[in-house]
Amino acid sequence: MRLSAAINSFKSSNLISWKTTGKLQQTLAGCIELSGKTLHSGKVSKVKIWPGFAGEGRYFEFHSNLIPASIDFVRESLLCTTLCKDGYKIRTVEHLLSALEAKGIDNCRIQIQSLDSEDTEVEAIEQVGRKEALDRCGNNVEKLAPHLSEPFYVSRNDSFMAAFPASKVHISCGIDFPKVPAIGCQWFSSAALDDSYEKHIACSRTFCIYEEVEHMCSMGLIKGGSLDNAIVCSATKGWLNPPLRFPDEPCRHKVLDLIGDLSLFARSGSQGFPMARVISFKVSALSLSLGVSVRLNRVKLNKKILVN
């Protein structure tokens, strides 16, 4: 189930109101520089994350081309979230954006040397620290967050996503792989954007099904994947590179992805993840196919959902 259309419906309706968090926008206290092999292209990439001005949000820079980390620039792609602007595409942005959203880095410039974004370690953000962000005139800016005015729900067969108004962020995520017994059905719940993120979510790794690897490789994907940076599960043999960091590590990684995807709802240095209790089941990344048309008739929400 793809989330982009659902988030766009929020933006065009009165389901969402923006309210103060009582905090000021933040940025990095210094520059972070990372390098490594990207997941899908397999190329070695260098990423520099620079402090940003308040009110400008998070955005990517590639050869002087700027691509905002916004739902407005999401394009359909396989197995990852992709941003596209002026013919330039950046893939696999959800992991990095998840860490930045969870650690409260509202404004930053992400300078990359490959069209795949590189995963970042939360420890790197912790090491450099964060500071109050100032705009180009030297002023601080209040941080806002999106609040739901009423429950929101979309579903297709046994997959669904619901969000309920709440004073704090909370997420519950479920996955189900009935043909892969070692994974099976799992649920994980978390406050998502508090101190538990680093300990319970950030270290959960990307996972894949062994029987699907050859097909993904034939499509030019996961060229940088290995048993060192992902966990692989066989439908018949179970986990091929144990031990897992958590019994429910695959589900925790889905939470990580979901935080990164919903961070794309941010605007002008605001919080992206809605102040809501979000419950999802068998909801995949933005890259999978979902079409949602939403019409608001006063207080009644009518939905038409088309899912491949």
Side-chain angles (χ1 to χ4, degrees):
M1 178 180 290
R2 184 181 170 189
L3 303 177
S4 57
I7 297 176
N8 272 324
S9 71
F10 289 163
K11 297 176 67 174
S12 61
S13 74
N14 61 5
L15 281 175
I16 283 289
S17 61
W18 295 86
K19 301 179 182 179
T20 181
T21 62
K23 302 176 182 179
L24 297 176
Q25 292 185 16
Q26 302 288 302
T27 189
L28 293 167
C31 177
I32 295 175
E33 184 171 354
L34 299 168
S35 64
K37 184 178 291 187
T38 57
L39 176 61
H40 288 299
S41 71
K43 298 178 181 178
V44 175
S45 176
K46 290 184 179 180
V47 178
K48 291 184 178 180
I49 311 174
W50 299 88
F53 289 103
E56 296 188 2
R58 297 179 286 255
Y59 59 93
F60 292 85
E61 179 185 2
F62 178 72
H63 292 175
S64 299
N65 294 277
L66 305 182
I67 305 178
S70 167
I71 193 67
D72 295 331
F73 299 98
V74 171
R75 296 295 180 268
E76 184 174 348
S77 60
L78 293 173
L79 299 179
C80 64
T81 300
T82 298
L83 299 176
C84 180
K85 185 175 182 286
D86 298 330
Y88 291 92
K89 294 182 179 180
I90 303 177
R91 300 189 299 179
T92 325
V93 300
E94 62 271 26
H95 298 165
L96 172 55
L97 293 178
S98 180
L100 293 171
E101 176 80 1
K103 303 308 293 184
I105 306 300
D106 309 306
N107 304 276
C108 63
R109 174 168 59 96
I110 307 162
Q111 186 179 42
I112 62 174
Q113 297 180 355
S114 169
L115 291 178
D116 281 329
S117 173
E118 176 58 41
D119 290 359
T120 187
E121 295 291 338
V122 172
E123 288 84 353
I125 299 176
E126 290 288 342
Q127 289 173 6
V128 75
R130 66 181 186 185
K131 65 178 182 180
E132 180 182 314
L134 302 178
D135 64 17
R136 292 182 181 269
C137 295
N139 302 312
N140 55 40
V141 177
E142 189 176 39
K143 181 175 180 175
L144 304 179
H147 287 250
L148 278 177
S149 60
E150 62 180 76
F152 182 81
Y153 177 82
V154 291
S155 67
R156 173 72 177 191
N157 299 325
D158 59 347
S159 300
F160 69 86
M161 181 176 180
F164 301 91
S167 60
K168 296 181 179 180
V169 169
H170 191 276
I171 185 169
S172 296
C173 179
I175 61 174
D176 188 21
F177 290 81
K179 296 182 179 180
V180 188
I183 300 179
C185 184
Q186 302 179 2
W187 280 91
F188 178 74
S189 296
S190 173
L193 302 186
D194 64 8
D195 293 338
S196 67
Y197 178 89
E198 181 175 358
K199 183 178 180 181
H200 299 291
I201 299 175
C203 53
S204 59
R205 295 163 291 178
T206 297
F207 71 97
C208 69
I209 310 304
Y210 174 75
E211 286 77 9
E212 299 175 356
V213 168
E214 184 176 349
H215 175 64
M216 289 188 287
C217 289
S218 69
M219 299 178 68
L221 301 171
I222 63 169
K223 293 179 180 179
S226 72
L227 295 177
D228 295 325
N229 60 15
I231 47 177
V232 183
C233 192
S234 168
T236 57
K237 299 179 181 180
W239 291 105
L240 302 184
N241 55 336
L244 271 62
R245 293 172 179 171
F246 309 98
D248 54 1
E249 186 172 355
C251 192
R252 293 179 189 233
H253 187 79
K254 287 294 186 181
V255 171
L256 185 153
D257 288 340
L258 188 58
I259 294 171
D261 285 339
L262 289 178
S263 78
L264 293 166
F265 191 33
R267 63 182 188 185
S268 304
S270 69
Q271 177 175 306
F273 202 103
M275 297 294 285
R277 181 178 182 88
V278 177
I279 304 172
S280 68
F281 181 64
K282 297 177 66 175
V283 175
S284 299
L286 287 168
S287 56
L288 300 184
S289 298
L290 169 69
V292 181
S293 68
V294 179
R295 288 185 301 173
L296 204 61
N297 181 14
R298 294 184 181 179
V299 297
K300 184 177 180 181
L301 186 66
N302 299 313
K303 308 177 187 69
K304 180 182 179 182
I305 307 165
L306 303 174
V307 183
N308 292 332

